[in-house]
């Protein structure tokens, strides 16, 4: 019911953090996993940790050609992608009054336009197979908002609208599209927070701790599995009770 | 070897699950053959595969009737 044997998964941004935990968890359930990094050394490291269960590839999600190339290479070598996890993401925080066009555009293209590109590129294969799973990694702040993150929250909220719309478009073809929205998770992205910031964040988290990347991966594995075939257009919040929506 | 017309009609029958006699030249996929927009996209995908060609989006959007599909394939397989 939860086995992913003989399925091929693509996880963007699998070099570290949440993406790495997702790649490892999908592989542990039997999937063959392609994980991506932005550098060749990152891709090699992914190949090393996945072993026989997958491979690392170089991908820049903001580059349309890179996306199409990687996906068509995977289709040639592994015969199509069953599970797409759009995980790659960045933050470029600033108060709106100080936010530069570049900060806005970089976050939009890495966190939102990328999802349009990769999803479009896997669509034909999934529609033909009458099976597929697209899982987008959002964020709790896409729903709650967060000062200093108008760009990031707009992109993550946009991702939910995208998820729902695409879910409706292709539900009849056996393809589900869902989002997982992490709260504060212990990765490089949150390492940048000061102790003071962490203290104030903890006070708003009933579980009183940061989440672990594997706790996000568990929700992704569930959505990718045959058990979740009737769940589509949903967002699963994994945030220790920080926000209940 | 069947003609282009026969091959196109066969694909339409398979993709849209309609009867052969319904597939008249003037029949519109969406208005007469019960296709929705996604069915039409899939039909174009199937034509691309059968005739080993790539149909650009702006051309694909014009293929809305049986005759339009036959005409497109005929025009592009003679090149
Ligand atoms: N950590 C949190 O608390 C938290 C909370 C909510 C949501 N999230 C979301 O969860 C996802 C993963 O976050 P994380 O904390 O694991 O991040 P992270 O540790 O900073 O890792 C980011 C990953 O994205 C990749 N990446 C960045 N820019 C890319 C690009 N242009 N093309 C392709 N890949 C790119 C990175 O590759 P390189 O290693 O090659 O740079 C890396 O693998 C993101 O979508 C993030 O928004 C995180």
């Amino acid at each position: 019911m939860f086995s992913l044997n003989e399925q091929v998964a693509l996880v963007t941004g699998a070099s570290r953090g949440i993406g790495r935990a997702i790649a490892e968890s999908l592989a542990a359930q039997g999937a063959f996993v392609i994980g991506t990094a932005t550098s060749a050394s990152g891709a090699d490291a992914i190949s090393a940790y996945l072993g026989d269960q997958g491979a690392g590839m170089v991908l820049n999600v903001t580059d349309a050609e890179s996306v199409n190339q990687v996906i068509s290479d995977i289709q040639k070598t592994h015969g199509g992608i069953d599970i797409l996890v759009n995980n790659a993401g960045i933050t470029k925080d600033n108060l709106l009054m100080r936010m530069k066009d570049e900060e806005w555009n970089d976050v939009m293209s890495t966190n939102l336009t990328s999802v349009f590109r990769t999803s479009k590129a896997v669509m034909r294969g999934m529609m033909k197979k009458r099976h597929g799973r697209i899982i987008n990694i959002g964020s709790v702040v896409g729903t709650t908002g967060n000062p200093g993150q108008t760009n990031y929250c707009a992109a993550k909220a946009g991702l939910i609208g995208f998820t729902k719309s695409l879910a409706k478009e292709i539900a009849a073809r056996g393809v589900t599209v869902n989002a997982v929205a992490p709260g504060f998770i212990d990765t490089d992205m949150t390492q940048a927070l000061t102790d003071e910031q962490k203290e104030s964040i903890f006070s708003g988290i009933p579980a009183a701790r940061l989440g672990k990347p594997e706790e996000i991966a568990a929700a992704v594995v569930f959505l990718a599995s045959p058990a979740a075939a009737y769940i589509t257009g949903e967002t699963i919040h994994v945030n220790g009770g920080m926000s209940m929506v | 070897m069947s003609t282009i017309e026969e091959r196109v009609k066969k694909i339409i029958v398979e993709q849209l699950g309609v009867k052969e006699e319904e597939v008249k030249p003037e029949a519109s996929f969406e208005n007469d053959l019960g296709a929705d927009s996604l069915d039409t996209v899939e039909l174009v995908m199937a034509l691309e595969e059968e005739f080993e060609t790539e149909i650009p989006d702006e051309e694909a959007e014009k293929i809305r009737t049986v005759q339009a599909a036959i005409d497109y394939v005929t025009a592009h397989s003679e090149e």
Side-chain angles (χ1 to χ4, degrees), chain A residues 3-9 29-32 78-80 82-83 129:
Chain A
S3 162
L4 300 175
N5 279 340
E6 282 169 39
Q7 309 243 339
V8 175
Q29 292 305 312
F32 185 87
H78 305 287
D82 302 283
I83 302 162
K129 277 196 193 179

Side-chain angles (χ1 to χ4, degrees), chain B residues 53 59 71-79:
Chain B
T53 173
E59 293 292 333
D71 289 347
Y72 181 89
V73 176
T74 308
H76 291 263
S77 53
E78 283 163 357
E79 279 168 11

Side-chain angles (χ1 to χ4, degrees), chain A residues 164-184:
Chain A
K164 291 178 178 176
S165 303
L166 184 59
K168 288 188 175 180
E169 275 183 27
I170 55 170
R173 301 297 189 276
V175 181
T176 70
V177 189
N178 291 288
V180 172
F184 281 91

Side-chain angles (χ1 to χ4, degrees), chain A residues 11-30:
Chain A
V11 182
T12 65
S15 55
R16 49 204 164 91
I18 293 170
R20 175 172 178 155
I22 292 170
E24 287 175 330
S25 301
L26 292 172
Q29 292 305 312

